[in-house]
Amino acid sequence: MDDADRDGGGDAPTGTAVDTDGTDADDGGALAWETRESRLDYSCPGFDVRRDAVRFPDGTDGEYHYVDEPPAVVVLPFTPDGSVVCIDEWRQAVGRVNRGIPAGSMESGEDPAEAAARELREETGHEAETLDPLVTVEPSNGVANSVHHHFVARGCTPTADTAFDADESIRPVTVDYATLREAALSGDLRDGRAVLAVSNYEASDG
Amino acid sequence: MDDADRDGGGDAPTGTAVDTDGTDADDGGALAWETRESRLDYSCPGFDVRRDAVRFPDGTDGEYHYVDEPPAVVVLPFTPDGSVVCIDEWRQAVGRVNRGIPAGSMESGEDPAEAAARELREETGHEAETLDPLVTVEPSNGVANSVHHHFVARGCTPTADTAFDADESIRPVTVDYATLREAALSGDLRDGRAVLAVSNYEASDG
């Protein structure tokens, strides 16, 4: 990316190596950084920024800044007839109304399934017959420690009241699943949580 | 989530409405916030935080903080025999080596395809015969304006030198696609960019 090349000139990649395990490497020693100090550098409603003093594998020292936020849940909620309860919500970070699915941060003491049921209820007024884990990911672990626990909810019916946060401008809207799937796969849907949930659900089912 | 209920008691959701369009709503007027001022509140290597003074739809005023970072690219790179060039990389935000795929921020003046080719080259030493857009998403637009442009690269061969950034601890590793796919769909892969790319590719192809 720039002229700072820690490896001193570009090693040949291990292009012919075949790893038999698709998961995270467990021999991280050669790549691991040592954290020498971690401190809160900034705080605002919703997240903090941490500034770590680190030692790189070559023994030199440096710093790394990243967003520190609580884990969150994302729910793909199906109605009994197979439609999906979506939400249209103003997203100030991107300056537009975003079509997505229920999501939000876990609260203190909650497990992911409890948070998923709560967010579904608060943001859409729906309650589910069943709630099953789909996949758990770190959406951008280069810059943030965010964790998104995705769930599939089935048999969702509008049996509860919504309860929006003070800074939530939300409208629930029920969308035909085939339409939502087409939007997620054609690139018409920008919301990454919804695209991941629909794509992963679709690929897992297929 | 708490007792602050902007809508004054929990309106019944429009649970029976069926929207014929899976994409973002275009009638955002009722949900839109007015941005009265936007200022830089914090800055560090990699991202800024902006603090916007906003007016909510009900006329009350408030503030919103979000991460401001450049758009990024993510590449799912296939070798001629159909394996995938992954990278194992230390991710300080989550304190472990992460198995993922090439990704990085776009540089000034680059278009997404140029950035994708550059990141593939720099992080893995590979060059692609073809590079096609897969999907573009905002991975967490509740807290950040991040945009991830996903690409599928085919015919990737190790014909270039790697060039790591000063704070990148990376090891390229070639993984059988079926293995990576299984890891993405079974939940064994934590990297959200890789899970989204594989799931979306799989669902689109299926």
Side-chain angles (χ1 to χ4, degrees), chain A residues 1 4 6 10-11 13-15 17 19 21 23-24 33 35 41-42 52 90 92-93 96 98-99 107 119 122 124 138 141 162 164-167 169 172 174 188 190 192-193 199-200, chain B residues 1 4 6 10-11 13-15 17 19 21 23-24 33 35 41-42 52 90 92 96 98-99 107 119 122 124 138 141 145 162 164-167 169 172 174 188 190 192-193 199-200:
Chain A
M1 187 182 277
R6 179 158 299 278
D11 293 341
T14 57
D19 195 302
D21 179 3
T23 63
D24 291 330
W33 300 359
T35 303
D41 208 40
Y42 173 84
D52 288 1
W90 180 260
Q92 179 66 16
R96 62 176 176 74
N98 177 70
R99 171 145 300 173
E107 294 182 351
E119 288 290 349
E122 290 180 353
T124 74
E138 295 155 356
N141 59 18
T162 53
F164 302 140
D165 287 344
D167 62 355
S169 295
T174 303
D188 284 342
R190 292 276 285 190
R193 291 153 299 210
S199 299
N200 197 265
Chain B
M1 185 181 282
R6 180 157 298 279
D11 294 341
T14 57
D19 195 302
D21 179 2
T23 64
D24 291 330
W33 300 359
T35 303
D41 207 40
Y42 174 83
D52 288 1
W90 181 260
Q92 179 66 16
R96 62 175 177 76
N98 178 69
R99 171 144 301 173
E107 294 183 350
E119 288 290 350
E122 291 181 351
T124 74
E138 295 155 356
N141 60 18
N145 66 0
T162 53
F164 302 140
D165 288 344
D167 62 356
S169 295
T174 303
D188 284 341
R190 291 276 285 190
R193 291 152 299 211
S199 300
N200 197 264

Coordinates of all heavy atoms in Angstrom, one line a residue, chain A residues 1 4 6 10-11 13-15 17 19 21 23-24 33 35 41-42 52 90 92-93 96 98-99 107 119 122 124 138 141 162 164-167 169 172 174 188 190 192-193 199-200, chain B residues 1 4 6 10-11 13-15 17 19 21 23-24 33 35 41-42 52 90 92 96 98-99 107 119 122 124 138 141 145 162 164-167 169 172 174 188 190 192-193 199-200:
Chain A
M1 N 0.8 -1.2 0.0 CA 0.0 0.0 0.0 C 0.9 1.2 0.0 O 0.6 2.2 -0.6 CB -0.9 0.0 1.2 CG -1.9 1.1 1.2 SD -3.0 1.1 2.7 CE -4.2 -0.2 2.3
A4 N 6.3 1.4 3.2 CA 6.7 0.7 4.4 C 6.5 -0.8 4.3 O 5.4 -1.2 4.2 CB 5.9 1.3 5.6
R6 N 7.3 -4.2 5.9 CA 7.8 -4.8 7.1 C 8.7 -6.0 6.8 O 9.6 -6.3 7.5 CB 6.7 -5.2 8.0 CG 7.1 -5.9 9.3 CD 6.0 -5.7 10.3 NE 5.8 -4.3 10.6 CZ 6.5 -3.6 11.5 NH1 7.5 -4.2 12.1 NH2 6.3 -2.3 11.7
G10 N 9.2 -7.9 0.0 CA 8.2 -8.7 -0.7 C 8.5 -10.2 -0.8 O 9.1 -10.6 -1.8
D11 N 8.3 -11.0 0.2 CA 8.5 -12.4 0.1 C 7.6 -13.0 -0.9 O 6.5 -12.6 -1.1 CB 8.3 -13.0 1.5 CG 9.3 -12.6 2.5 OD1 10.3 -12.0 2.1 OD2 9.0 -12.7 3.7
P13 N 4.9 -15.4 -2.0 CA 3.8 -16.0 -1.2 C 3.8 -17.5 -1.2 O 4.4 -18.1 -2.1 CB 2.5 -15.5 -1.9 CG 3.0 -15.3 -3.3 CD 4.4 -14.9 -3.2
T14 N 3.2 -18.1 -0.3 CA 3.1 -19.6 -0.2 C 2.0 -20.0 -1.1 O 1.0 -20.6 -0.7 CB 2.9 -20.0 1.2 OG1 1.7 -19.4 1.7 CG2 4.1 -19.7 2.1
G15 N 2.1 -19.7 -2.4 CA 1.0 -19.9 -3.3 C 0.6 -21.3 -3.5 O -0.5 -21.6 -4.0
A17 N 0.9 -23.8 -1.1 CA 0.5 -24.5 0.1 C -1.0 -24.7 0.1 O -1.7 -23.8 -0.2 CB 1.0 -23.7 1.3
D19 N -3.9 -25.5 2.8 CA -4.3 -25.7 4.2 C -5.5 -26.6 4.2 O -6.4 -26.4 3.5 CB -4.5 -24.4 4.8 CG -4.6 -24.5 6.3 OD1 -5.4 -25.2 6.9 OD2 -3.8 -23.8 7.0
D21 N -7.6 -26.9 6.6 CA -8.5 -26.4 7.6 C -9.0 -25.0 7.2 O -8.1 -24.1 7.1 CB -7.9 -26.4 9.0 CG -8.8 -25.9 10.0 OD1 -9.9 -25.6 9.7 OD2 -8.3 -25.8 11.2
T23 N -10.6 -22.9 8.9 CA -10.8 -22.0 10.0 C -9.6 -21.2 10.4 O -8.6 -21.3 9.7 CB -11.3 -22.8 11.2 OG1 -10.2 -23.7 11.6 CG2 -12.5 -23.7 10.9
D24 N -9.7 -20.4 11.4 CA -8.6 -19.6 11.9 C -7.4 -20.4 12.2 O -7.5 -21.5 12.7 CB -9.0 -18.8 13.1 CG -10.0 -17.7 12.8 OD1 -10.0 -17.2 11.7 OD2 -10.8 -17.4 13.7
W33 N 0.9 -10.1 17.7 CA 1.5 -8.9 18.3 C 1.4 -9.1 19.8 O 0.5 -9.7 20.3 CB 0.7 -7.7 17.9 CG 0.6 -7.4 16.4 CD1 1.2 -8.1 15.4 CD2 -0.1 -6.3 15.8 NE1 0.9 -7.5 14.2 CE2 0.1 -6.4 14.4 CE3 -0.9 -5.3 16.3 CZ2 -0.4 -5.6 13.5 CZ3 -1.4 -4.4 15.4 CH2 -1.2 -4.5 14.0
T35 N 0.5 -7.1 23.2 CA -0.1 -5.9 23.6 C 0.6 -5.5 24.9 O 0.5 -6.2 25.9 CB -1.6 -6.2 23.9 OG1 -2.2 -6.6 22.7 CG2 -2.3 -4.9 24.3
D41 N -9.2 5.7 24.4 CA -8.7 7.0 23.8 C -9.8 7.9 23.5 O -9.6 9.1 23.3 CB -7.9 6.6 22.6 CG -6.8 7.7 22.2 OD1 -6.2 8.1 23.2 OD2 -6.6 8.0 21.1
Y42 N -11.0 7.4 23.4 CA -12.2 8.3 23.0 C -13.4 7.5 23.4 O -13.5 6.3 23.3 CB -12.1 8.5 21.5 CG -13.4 9.2 21.0 CD1 -13.5 10.6 21.0 CD2 -14.4 8.5 20.4 CE1 -14.6 11.3 20.5 CE2 -15.5 9.1 19.9 CZ -15.6 10.5 20.0 OH -16.7 11.2 19.5
D52 N -4.0 0.8 21.6 CA -3.1 -0.2 22.2 C -1.6 0.1 21.8 O -1.3 0.4 20.6 CB -3.4 -1.6 21.6 CG -4.7 -2.1 22.2 OD1 -5.4 -1.4 23.0 OD2 -5.1 -3.2 21.9
W90 N -33.7 5.2 9.4 CA -32.8 6.3 9.0 C -31.4 5.9 9.6 O -31.3 5.6 10.8 CB -33.2 7.6 9.6 CG -32.2 8.7 9.3 CD1 -31.3 9.2 10.1 CD2 -32.1 9.4 8.0 NE1 -30.5 10.2 9.4 CE2 -31.0 10.3 8.1 CE3 -32.8 9.3 6.8 CZ2 -30.6 11.1 7.1 CZ3 -32.4 10.1 5.8 CH2 -31.3 11.0 5.9
Q92 N -27.9 7.6 10.0 CA -27.2 8.9 9.9 C -25.8 8.8 9.3 O -25.3 9.6 8.6 CB -27.2 9.6 11.3 CG -26.5 10.9 11.4 CD -27.2 12.0 10.6 OE1 -28.4 11.9 10.3 NE2 -26.5 13.1 10.3
A93 N -25.2 7.6 9.6 CA -23.8 7.5 9.1 C -23.7 7.5 7.6 O -22.7 7.8 7.0 CB -23.2 6.1 9.7
R96 N -29.2 8.2 4.8 CA -30.4 7.7 4.1 C -31.2 6.7 4.9 O -30.7 6.2 5.9 CB -30.0 7.1 2.7 CG -29.1 5.9 2.9 CD -28.8 5.3 1.5 NE -27.9 4.1 1.7 CZ -28.2 3.0 2.3 NH1 -29.5 2.8 2.6 NH2 -27.3 2.0 2.4
N98 N -32.4 3.1 5.3 CA -31.8 1.8 5.0 C -32.8 0.7 5.2 O -33.5 0.6 6.2 CB -30.6 1.6 6.0 CG -29.9 0.3 5.8 OD1 -29.3 0.0 4.8 ND2 -30.1 -0.6 6.8
R99 N -33.0 -0.1 4.2 CA -33.8 -1.3 4.3 C -32.9 -2.4 4.9 O -31.9 -2.8 4.3 CB -34.4 -1.8 3.0 CG -35.1 -3.1 3.2 CD -36.3 -3.3 2.4 NE -37.3 -2.3 2.7 CZ -38.5 -2.2 2.1 NH1 -38.7 -2.9 1.0 NH2 -39.3 -1.2 2.4
E107 N -27.6 -6.2 25.6 CA -27.5 -5.5 26.8 C -26.8 -6.3 27.9 O -26.7 -7.6 27.7 CB -28.9 -5.1 27.2 CG -29.5 -4.1 26.2 CD -30.9 -3.7 26.6 OE1 -31.5 -4.2 27.6 OE2 -31.4 -2.7 26.0
E119 N -34.8 -7.5 20.4 CA -34.7 -6.5 19.3 C -35.8 -6.8 18.3 O -36.4 -5.8 17.8 CB -33.3 -6.7 18.6 CG -32.2 -6.1 19.4 CD -32.2 -4.6 19.5 OE1 -33.0 -3.9 18.8 OE2 -31.4 -4.0 20.3
E122 N -38.9 -5.2 20.0 CA -38.9 -3.8 20.1 C -38.9 -3.1 18.8 O -39.6 -2.0 18.6 CB -37.6 -3.3 20.9 CG -37.6 -3.7 22.3 CD -36.3 -3.2 23.0 OE1 -35.4 -2.8 22.4 OE2 -36.2 -3.4 24.3
T124 N -40.0 -4.4 15.7 CA -41.0 -4.8 14.8 C -42.3 -5.1 15.5 O -43.4 -5.3 14.8 CB -40.6 -6.0 13.9 OG1 -40.7 -7.2 14.8 CG2 -39.2 -5.8 13.4
E138 N -17.4 -11.4 12.7 CA -16.8 -10.1 13.0 C -16.9 -9.3 11.7 O -16.1 -9.6 10.8 CB -15.4 -10.3 13.5 CG -15.4 -11.0 14.9 CD -14.1 -11.7 15.2 OE1 -13.2 -11.7 14.3 OE2 -13.9 -12.2 16.3
N141 N -13.1 -6.7 11.5 CA -12.2 -6.8 12.6 C -10.9 -6.2 12.3 O -10.0 -6.3 13.2 CB -12.1 -8.3 13.1 CG -11.6 -9.2 12.0 OD1 -11.0 -8.8 11.0 ND2 -11.8 -10.5 12.2
T162 N -44.1 -2.3 19.8 CA -42.7 -1.8 19.5 C -42.3 -0.9 20.6 O -43.1 -0.3 21.4 CB -42.6 -1.0 18.2 OG1 -43.6 0.0 18.2 CG2 -42.9 -2.0 17.0
F164 N -39.2 1.8 20.4 CA -38.0 2.4 19.8 C -37.1 3.2 20.7 O -37.6 3.8 21.7 CB -38.4 3.3 18.6 CG -39.2 2.6 17.6 CD1 -40.3 3.2 17.0 CD2 -38.9 1.3 17.2 CE1 -41.0 2.6 16.0 CE2 -39.7 0.6 16.2 CZ -40.8 1.3 15.6
D165 N -35.8 3.1 20.5 CA -34.9 4.0 21.3 C -35.1 5.4 20.8 O -35.7 5.7 19.8 CB -33.4 3.6 21.0 CG -33.1 2.2 21.7 OD1 -33.8 1.8 22.6 OD2 -32.0 1.7 21.3
A166 N -34.6 6.3 21.7 CA -34.8 7.8 21.4 C -34.2 8.2 20.0 O -34.8 9.1 19.4 CB -34.1 8.6 22.5
D167 N -33.2 7.5 19.6 CA -32.6 7.9 18.3 C -32.8 6.9 17.2 O -32.1 6.8 16.3 CB -31.1 8.2 18.5 CG -30.3 7.0 18.9 OD1 -31.0 5.9 19.2 OD2 -29.1 7.0 19.0
S169 N -35.3 5.9 14.2 CA -36.5 6.3 13.3 C -36.7 5.1 12.4 O -36.0 4.9 11.4 CB -36.1 7.6 12.5 OG -36.0 8.7 13.4
P172 N -41.3 -0.7 10.5 CA -41.3 -2.1 10.1 C -42.1 -2.3 8.8 O -43.1 -1.6 8.5 CB -42.1 -2.8 11.2 CG -42.2 -1.8 12.3 CD -42.2 -0.5 11.7
T174 N -43.2 -5.6 6.0 CA -43.1 -7.0 5.6 C -42.9 -7.2 4.1 O -43.6 -6.6 3.3 CB -44.4 -7.8 6.1 OG1 -44.6 -7.6 7.5 CG2 -44.3 -9.3 5.8
D188 N -29.0 -4.9 -5.0 CA -29.9 -3.8 -4.7 C -30.1 -3.5 -3.2 O -30.6 -2.5 -2.9 CB -31.3 -4.1 -5.3 CG -31.3 -4.0 -6.8 OD1 -30.4 -3.3 -7.3 OD2 -32.2 -4.5 -7.4
R190 N -28.2 -2.6 0.3 CA -26.9 -2.2 0.7 C -26.5 -2.6 2.1 O -25.4 -2.6 2.5 CB -26.9 -0.6 0.7 CG -26.9 0.0 -0.6 CD -25.6 0.1 -1.3 NE -24.7 1.2 -0.7 CZ -23.6 1.6 -1.2 NH1 -23.1 1.0 -2.3 NH2 -22.9 2.5 -0.6
G192 N -25.3 -4.5 4.9 CA -24.4 -5.7 5.0 C -25.0 -6.8 5.9 O -24.8 -8.0 5.6
R193 N -25.6 -6.4 7.0 CA -26.1 -7.5 7.9 C -27.2 -8.3 7.2 O -27.3 -9.5 7.3 CB -26.7 -6.8 9.2 CG -25.6 -6.2 10.1 CD -26.2 -5.1 10.9 NE -26.6 -4.1 10.0 CZ -26.7 -2.8 10.2 NH1 -26.3 -2.3 11.4 NH2 -27.1 -1.9 9.3
S199 N -27.9 -14.2 2.4 CA -26.9 -15.0 1.6 C -26.5 -16.3 2.3 O -26.5 -17.4 1.7 CB -25.7 -14.2 1.2 OG -26.0 -13.0 0.5
N200 N -26.2 -16.2 3.6 CA -25.8 -17.3 4.4 C -26.9 -18.3 4.6 O -26.8 -19.5 4.5 CB -25.2 -16.9 5.7 CG -24.4 -17.9 6.4 OD1 -24.9 -18.7 7.2 ND2 -23.1 -18.0 6.0
Chain B
M1 N -35.8 -0.7 23.9 CA -34.5 -1.0 24.6 C -34.5 -0.3 26.0 O -34.0 -0.8 26.9 CB -33.3 -0.5 23.8 CG -32.0 -0.9 24.4 SD -30.6 -0.3 23.3 CE -30.6 -1.5 22.0
A4 N -37.2 5.4 26.8 CA -37.3 6.5 25.8 C -38.0 6.0 24.5 O -37.4 5.3 23.8 CB -35.9 7.1 25.5
R6 N -39.7 7.3 21.3 CA -39.9 8.4 20.5 C -41.4 8.5 20.0 O -41.9 9.5 19.7 CB -38.9 8.5 19.4 CG -39.0 9.6 18.4 CD -37.7 9.9 17.8 NE -36.7 10.2 18.7 CZ -36.6 11.4 19.3 NH1 -37.3 12.4 18.9 NH2 -35.6 11.7 20.1
G10 N -45.5 2.9 21.5 CA -45.4 1.6 20.7 C -46.6 1.5 19.7 O -47.6 0.9 20.0
D11 N -46.4 2.0 18.6 CA -47.4 1.9 17.5 C -47.5 0.4 17.1 O -46.5 -0.3 17.1 CB -47.1 2.7 16.3 CG -47.1 4.2 16.7 OD1 -47.8 4.6 17.7 OD2 -46.5 5.0 15.9
P13 N -47.2 -2.4 14.6 CA -46.4 -2.4 13.4 C -47.3 -2.7 12.2 O -48.4 -3.2 12.3 CB -45.5 -3.6 13.6 CG -46.2 -4.5 14.6 CD -47.0 -3.5 15.4
T14 N -46.8 -2.3 11.0 CA -47.6 -2.6 9.8 C -47.3 -4.0 9.4 O -46.8 -4.3 8.3 CB -47.1 -1.6 8.7 OG1 -45.7 -1.8 8.5 CG2 -47.4 -0.2 9.1
G15 N -47.7 -5.0 10.2 CA -47.3 -6.4 10.0 C -48.0 -7.0 8.8 O -47.5 -8.0 8.3
A17 N -48.6 -5.3 5.9 CA -48.2 -4.6 4.7 C -47.2 -5.4 3.9 O -46.3 -6.0 4.5 CB -47.6 -3.2 5.0
D19 N -44.4 -5.0 0.9 CA -43.7 -4.1 0.0 C -43.3 -4.9 -1.2 O -42.7 -6.0 -1.1 CB -42.5 -3.5 0.8 CG -42.0 -2.3 0.1 OD1 -41.6 -2.4 -1.1 OD2 -41.9 -1.2 0.7
D21 N -41.0 -4.1 -3.2 CA -39.6 -3.7 -3.6 C -38.7 -4.1 -2.4 O -38.9 -3.6 -1.3 CB -39.6 -2.2 -3.9 CG -38.2 -1.8 -4.3 OD1 -37.3 -2.6 -4.4 OD2 -38.0 -0.6 -4.5
T23 N -35.6 -3.2 -2.0 CA -34.5 -2.3 -1.9 C -34.9 -1.2 -0.9 O -35.9 -1.2 -0.3 CB -34.2 -1.7 -3.3 OG1 -35.3 -0.9 -3.7 CG2 -33.9 -2.8 -4.3
D24 N -33.9 -0.3 -0.8 CA -34.1 0.8 0.2 C -35.4 1.6 -0.2 O -35.7 1.9 -1.4 CB -32.9 1.8 0.1 CG -31.7 1.1 0.7 OD1 -31.8 0.3 1.6 OD2 -30.6 1.5 0.3
W33 N -33.7 12.4 9.2 CA -33.2 13.3 10.1 C -32.6 14.5 9.3 O -32.0 14.3 8.2 CB -32.1 12.8 11.0 CG -32.4 11.6 11.8 CD1 -33.6 11.0 11.9 CD2 -31.5 10.9 12.7 NE1 -33.6 9.9 12.8 CE2 -32.3 9.8 13.3 CE3 -30.2 11.0 13.0 CZ2 -31.8 8.9 14.2 CZ3 -29.7 10.1 13.9 CH2 -30.4 9.1 14.5
T35 N -29.6 17.1 9.2 CA -28.2 17.3 9.7 C -28.0 18.8 9.8 O -27.9 19.5 8.8 CB -27.2 16.6 8.8 OG1 -27.5 15.3 8.7 CG2 -25.8 16.8 9.4
D41 N -14.8 14.8 15.4 CA -14.8 14.8 16.8 C -13.5 14.1 17.3 O -13.1 14.2 18.5 CB -16.0 14.2 17.4 CG -16.4 14.7 18.8 OD1 -16.2 15.9 19.1 OD2 -16.8 13.8 19.7
Y42 N -12.9 13.2 16.5 CA -11.8 12.4 16.9 C -11.1 11.9 15.6 O -11.8 11.6 14.6 CB -12.3 11.2 17.7 CG -11.2 10.2 18.1 CD1 -10.3 10.4 19.1 CD2 -11.0 9.1 17.3 CE1 -9.3 9.5 19.4 CE2 -10.0 8.1 17.6 CZ -9.2 8.4 18.7 OH -8.2 7.5 19.0
D52 N -22.5 14.6 14.6 CA -23.5 15.4 13.9 C -24.5 15.9 14.8 O -25.0 15.2 15.7 CB -24.2 14.5 12.8 CG -23.3 14.2 11.6 OD1 -22.1 14.6 11.6 OD2 -23.8 13.6 10.7
W90 N -2.9 -11.1 11.8 CA -3.1 -10.7 13.1 C -4.1 -9.5 13.1 O -3.9 -8.6 12.4 CB -1.9 -10.3 13.8 CG -2.1 -9.8 15.2 CD1 -2.2 -8.6 15.7 CD2 -2.3 -10.7 16.4 NE1 -2.5 -8.6 17.1 CE2 -2.5 -9.9 17.5 CE3 -2.3 -12.1 16.5 CZ2 -2.8 -10.4 18.8 CZ3 -2.5 -12.6 17.8 CH2 -2.8 -11.7 18.9
Q92 N -5.6 -7.0 15.7 CA -5.4 -6.5 17.1 C -6.8 -6.2 17.7 O -6.9 -6.4 18.9 CB -4.6 -5.2 17.0 CG -4.3 -4.6 18.4 CD -3.5 -5.4 19.3 OE1 -2.8 -6.4 18.9 NE2 -3.5 -5.1 20.6
R96 N -6.3 -11.9 17.8 CA -6.0 -13.2 17.3 C -5.7 -13.2 15.8 O -5.9 -12.2 15.2 CB -7.2 -14.2 17.6 CG -8.4 -13.8 16.8 CD -9.6 -14.8 17.0 NE -10.8 -14.3 16.4 CZ -10.9 -14.3 15.0 NH1 -10.0 -14.8 14.2 NH2 -12.0 -13.8 14.5
N98 N -6.6 -14.1 12.3 CA -7.9 -14.2 11.6 C -7.7 -14.8 10.2 O -6.8 -14.3 9.4 CB -8.5 -12.8 11.4 CG -9.8 -12.8 10.7 OD1 -10.8 -13.3 11.2 ND2 -9.8 -12.2 9.5
R99 N -8.4 -15.9 9.9 CA -8.4 -16.3 8.5 C -9.4 -15.6 7.7 O -10.6 -15.6 8.0 CB -8.7 -17.8 8.4 CG -8.9 -18.3 7.0 CD -8.4 -19.7 6.7 NE -7.0 -19.8 7.0 CZ -6.3 -20.9 6.9 NH1 -6.9 -22.0 6.6 NH2 -5.0 -20.9 7.2
E107 N -7.5 3.7 -2.1 CA -6.6 4.9 -2.0 C -7.1 6.0 -2.8 O -8.0 5.8 -3.7 CB -5.2 4.5 -2.4 CG -4.6 3.5 -1.4 CD -3.1 3.1 -1.7 OE1 -2.7 3.5 -2.8 OE2 -2.5 2.5 -0.9
E119 N -4.8 -4.7 -3.8 CA -4.8 -5.4 -2.5 C -4.5 -6.9 -2.7 O -3.7 -7.5 -1.9 CB -6.1 -5.2 -1.7 CG -6.4 -3.9 -1.2 CD -5.5 -3.5 0.0 OE1 -4.8 -4.4 0.6 OE2 -5.4 -2.4 0.4
E122 N -0.7 -6.9 -3.3 CA 0.1 -6.6 -2.2 C 0.0 -7.6 -1.0 O 1.0 -7.9 -0.4 CB -0.3 -5.2 -1.6 CG 0.1 -4.1 -2.5 CD -0.3 -2.7 -2.0 OE1 -1.0 -2.6 -0.9 OE2 0.1 -1.7 -2.6
T124 N -1.1 -10.9 -1.2 CA -0.9 -12.3 -1.6 C 0.2 -12.5 -2.7 O 0.5 -13.7 -2.9 CB -2.2 -13.0 -2.1 OG1 -2.5 -12.5 -3.4 CG2 -3.4 -12.7 -1.1
E138 N -22.8 -2.0 3.1 CA -22.4 -1.3 4.2 C -22.4 -2.3 5.4 O -23.5 -2.6 5.9 CB -23.3 -0.1 4.5 CG -23.2 0.9 3.3 CD -24.4 1.8 3.1 OE1 -25.4 1.5 3.9 OE2 -24.4 2.7 2.3
N141 N -23.8 0.0 9.1 CA -24.1 1.4 8.9 C -24.9 2.1 10.1 O -25.2 3.2 10.0 CB -24.8 1.6 7.6 CG -26.1 0.9 7.5 OD1 -26.7 0.5 8.5 ND2 -26.6 0.7 6.2
N145 N -19.8 4.6 8.4 CA -20.1 4.8 7.0 C -19.4 3.9 6.1 O -19.4 4.1 4.9 CB -20.0 6.3 6.6 CG -18.5 6.7 6.6 OD1 -17.6 5.9 7.0 ND2 -18.3 8.0 6.3
T162 N 4.7 -9.5 -2.8 CA 3.8 -8.9 -1.8 C 4.4 -7.6 -1.3 O 5.6 -7.3 -1.6 CB 3.7 -9.9 -0.6 OG1 5.0 -10.2 -0.2 CG2 2.9 -11.1 -1.0
F164 N 3.6 -5.6 2.2 CA 2.7 -5.4 3.4 C 2.9 -4.0 3.9 O 4.0 -3.4 3.9 CB 3.1 -6.4 4.4 CG 2.9 -7.9 4.0 CD1 3.8 -8.8 4.4 CD2 1.8 -8.2 3.2 CE1 3.7 -10.1 3.9 CE2 1.7 -9.5 2.7 CZ 2.6 -10.5 3.1
D165 N 1.8 -3.5 4.5 CA 1.9 -2.2 5.2 C 2.7 -2.5 6.5 O 2.9 -3.6 7.0 CB 0.5 -1.7 5.6 CG -0.2 -1.2 4.4 OD1 0.5 -0.9 3.3 OD2 -1.4 -1.0 4.4
A166 N 3.1 -1.4 7.1 CA 4.0 -1.5 8.3 C 3.3 -2.2 9.4 O 3.9 -2.9 10.2 CB 4.4 -0.1 8.8
D167 N 2.0 -2.1 9.5 CA 1.3 -2.7 10.6 C 0.5 -4.0 10.2 O -0.5 -4.3 10.8 CB 0.4 -1.7 11.4 CG -0.7 -1.2 10.5 OD1 -0.7 -1.5 9.2 OD2 -1.5 -0.4 11.0
S169 N 0.6 -8.0 9.7 CA 1.3 -9.2 9.9 C 0.4 -10.3 9.2 O -0.6 -10.8 9.8 CB 1.4 -9.5 11.4 OG 2.2 -8.5 12.0
P172 N -0.1 -15.4 3.4 CA -1.0 -15.9 2.4 C -1.1 -17.4 2.6 O -0.1 -18.1 2.8 CB -0.4 -15.5 1.1 CG 0.7 -14.5 1.4 CD 1.1 -14.8 2.8
T174 N -3.2 -20.9 0.6 CA -4.2 -21.3 -0.4 C -5.0 -22.4 0.2 O -4.5 -23.4 0.7 CB -3.5 -21.8 -1.7 OG1 -2.7 -20.7 -2.1 CG2 -4.5 -22.1 -2.7
D188 N -17.5 -21.9 11.3 CA -16.2 -22.0 11.8 C -15.3 -20.8 11.4 O -14.2 -20.7 11.8 CB -15.5 -23.3 11.2 CG -16.0 -24.5 12.0 OD1 -16.5 -24.4 13.1 OD2 -15.9 -25.6 11.5
R190 N -14.8 -16.8 11.3 CA -15.4 -15.6 12.0 C -15.3 -14.4 11.2 O -16.0 -13.4 11.5 CB -14.5 -15.4 13.3 CG -14.7 -16.4 14.4 CD -15.9 -16.2 15.2 NE -15.7 -15.1 16.2 CZ -16.5 -14.8 17.2 NH1 -17.6 -15.5 17.4 NH2 -16.3 -13.8 18.0
G192 N -16.2 -11.7 8.9 CA -17.5 -11.3 8.3 C -17.3 -11.1 6.8 O -18.2 -11.4 6.0
R193 N -16.2 -10.5 6.4 CA -16.0 -10.2 5.0 C -15.9 -11.5 4.2 O -16.5 -11.6 3.1 CB -14.8 -9.3 4.7 CG -14.9 -7.9 5.2 CD -13.5 -7.4 5.6 NE -13.0 -8.2 6.7 CZ -12.1 -7.8 7.6 NH1 -11.7 -6.6 7.6 NH2 -11.7 -8.7 8.5
S199 N -20.6 -16.7 1.1 CA -22.1 -17.0 1.1 C -22.8 -16.4 -0.1 O -23.7 -17.0 -0.7 CB -22.7 -16.4 2.4 OG -22.1 -17.0 3.6
N200 N -22.4 -15.1 -0.4 CA -23.1 -14.4 -1.5 C -22.7 -15.1 -2.8 O -23.6 -15.2 -3.7 CB -22.7 -13.0 -1.5 CG -23.7 -12.1 -2.3 OD1 -23.4 -11.8 -3.5 ND2 -24.8 -11.7 -1.8

